[in-house]
Amino acid sequence: MSALHRLACALLLCLASAHAVDFLLLHGAFQGGQTWEGFEDGGVIESLQERGYSARAPTLRGNNDDDSDAERAAVVYQDYVDQIEALLDDEDEPAIVVAHSSTGVLVQELLARGNAHIRAAVFVNAWAVPADTSQGDLIPPEVWEAFQAGAAARADNSVEVDAAFLANVLIPGNTQQERDQVESILVPQPIAMFDHRLSPADIDAFQATASAVPRWVVIADEDLSGDYLALAAFVEPYTLLSVPGGHQFFNFNPDALGDHLDAIYKQLETPSSLSSSDSSPAPVLSASLSLLLAALLAVLCYLA
């Protein structure tokens, strides 16, 4: 094997093994990663891919639709932290982490732990907490008590979404078909999701990352499931963005979120790019160059 052959093959191997994702999408409670795939009209992942971005949407432990009662019952909050930290650490470059609903608290925890693979944080209709306070502490006491009693009565120590809450709060105004579609992807939620508290030291560490890891808050103007603007006070400073719709708006209008994520990426690449007339995202060019380089190296491997 010639030196040129060895060099070309080594470069091709390095390119093939490189692993970087632009966006890491974290689903909320009662859902899995498939919520980002949408339905027949596509989802947020497709919306991002059409713009030239890569996205990864893991399902948290205990939220797979085929998880057993024992697997769900065994889930503790640290499982979520370990799982997402491992995914972030597996990336060659920091990713923009997008957290929907309950996973806003998870992003607070990840940043408090100093994860260097988070490029920016986007909180979408997301929960956030002050020190020594859980999400359960912030919801109405009667709801939290019902969650705890319901989980205690189940073998999987999990909570199920009430049909009326789904129809009247999470996706009000949607058609019955759309409600059925969302209901089809829901799963029981391990109670551990709602009972995690960050210490004062954790909150201080989280706030200390504000200058290095910019934050955006996206709030749907018809969301009835929580006062997310008030909760956003716990992630200040941030840039506020709005979208039409309710808590699950992105299931049926993925481009509303895709447009914002596109703008966020461009702003991170070039602070002035939001006012620029250039409408082509940087990842399209970089992806095309990578493919061209791979093709050239493959030819060299063949010819050398």
Side-chain angles (χ1 to χ4, degrees):
M1 180 183 290
S2 70
L4 177 61
H5 192 174
R6 288 194 297 271
L7 176 61
C9 290
L11 289 172
L12 184 57
L13 180 61
C14 289
L15 184 63
S17 63
H19 192 256
V21 67
D22 298 312
F23 294 93
L24 182 66
L25 309 174
L26 302 182
H27 63 81
F30 307 104
Q31 303 169 61
Q34 69 269 34
T35 195
W36 300 108
E37 298 172 5
F39 302 109
E40 65 269 11
D41 294 328
V44 174
I45 293 176
E46 183 177 332
S47 180
L48 291 171
Q49 289 174 339
E50 288 174 349
R51 292 168 166 82
Y53 300 108
S54 59
R56 192 173 187 178
T59 294
L60 294 176
R61 291 171 186 161
N63 282 59
N64 295 286
D65 56 11
D66 59 352
D67 282 338
S68 68
D69 287 352
E71 288 171 322
R72 285 200 176 96
V75 170
V76 296
Y77 204 87
Q78 189 62 41
D79 291 329
Y80 304 144
V81 177
D82 292 344
Q83 179 185 357
I84 302 306
E85 279 201 323
L87 291 178
L88 287 167
D89 291 344
D90 188 46
E91 300 296 333
D92 294 316
E93 299 292 337
I96 300 170
V97 177
V98 181
H100 177 234
S101 198
S102 295
T103 50
V105 179
L106 177 56
V107 172
Q108 286 183 284
E109 176 73 39
L110 292 168
L111 286 172
R113 292 165 64 91
N115 193 289
H117 287 80
I118 299 178
R119 185 181 187 189
V122 183
F123 298 84
V124 181
N125 295 339
W127 288 84
V129 295
D132 295 329
T133 305
S134 70
Q135 181 181 341
D137 295 330
L138 296 177
I139 63 178
E142 65 276 11
V143 175
W144 181 223
E145 290 170 6
F147 273 20
Q148 292 173 301
R154 292 171 55 98
D156 60 3
N157 196 31
S158 299
V159 184
E160 283 194 303
V161 174
D162 178 76
F165 182 77
L166 172 66
N168 299 325
V169 178
L170 292 184
I171 49 174
N174 292 73
T175 66
Q176 186 59 52
Q177 178 184 1
E178 290 171 337
R179 292 174 185 173
D180 291 342
Q181 288 174 322
V182 173
E183 189 171 12
S184 72
I185 65 171
L186 298 182
V187 296
Q189 179 60 54
I191 194 72
M193 174 67 78
F194 309 110
D195 202 21
H196 182 65
R197 294 174 175 83
L198 280 74
S199 70
D202 292 332
I203 293 298
D204 288 345
F206 165 67
Q207 294 296 5
T209 67
S211 60
V213 183
R215 305 163 187 177
W216 279 263
V217 170
V218 180
I219 296 180
D221 57 16
E222 300 172 21
D223 194 340
L224 304 176
S225 64
D227 188 348
Y228 297 106
L229 184 58
L231 293 171
F234 304 130
V235 302
E236 291 179 340
Y238 61 84
T239 300
L240 179 64
L241 303 170
S242 64
V243 291
H247 196 65
Q248 298 292 134
F249 74 94
F250 56 86
N251 288 139
F252 305 104
N253 187 10
D255 286 339
L257 183 56
D259 288 344
H260 280 317
L261 296 180
D262 180 30
I264 287 169
Y265 187 97
K266 289 177 179 178
Q267 187 173 10
L268 289 169
E269 289 291 290
T270 308
S272 62
S273 62
L274 284 177
S275 59
S276 169
S277 59
D278 182 8
S279 60
S280 59
V284 174
L285 177 62
S286 62
S288 299
L289 288 175
S290 296
L291 289 173
L292 178 60
L293 180 57
L296 290 174
L297 289 174
V299 170
L300 284 174
C301 272
Y302 177 77
L303 295 176

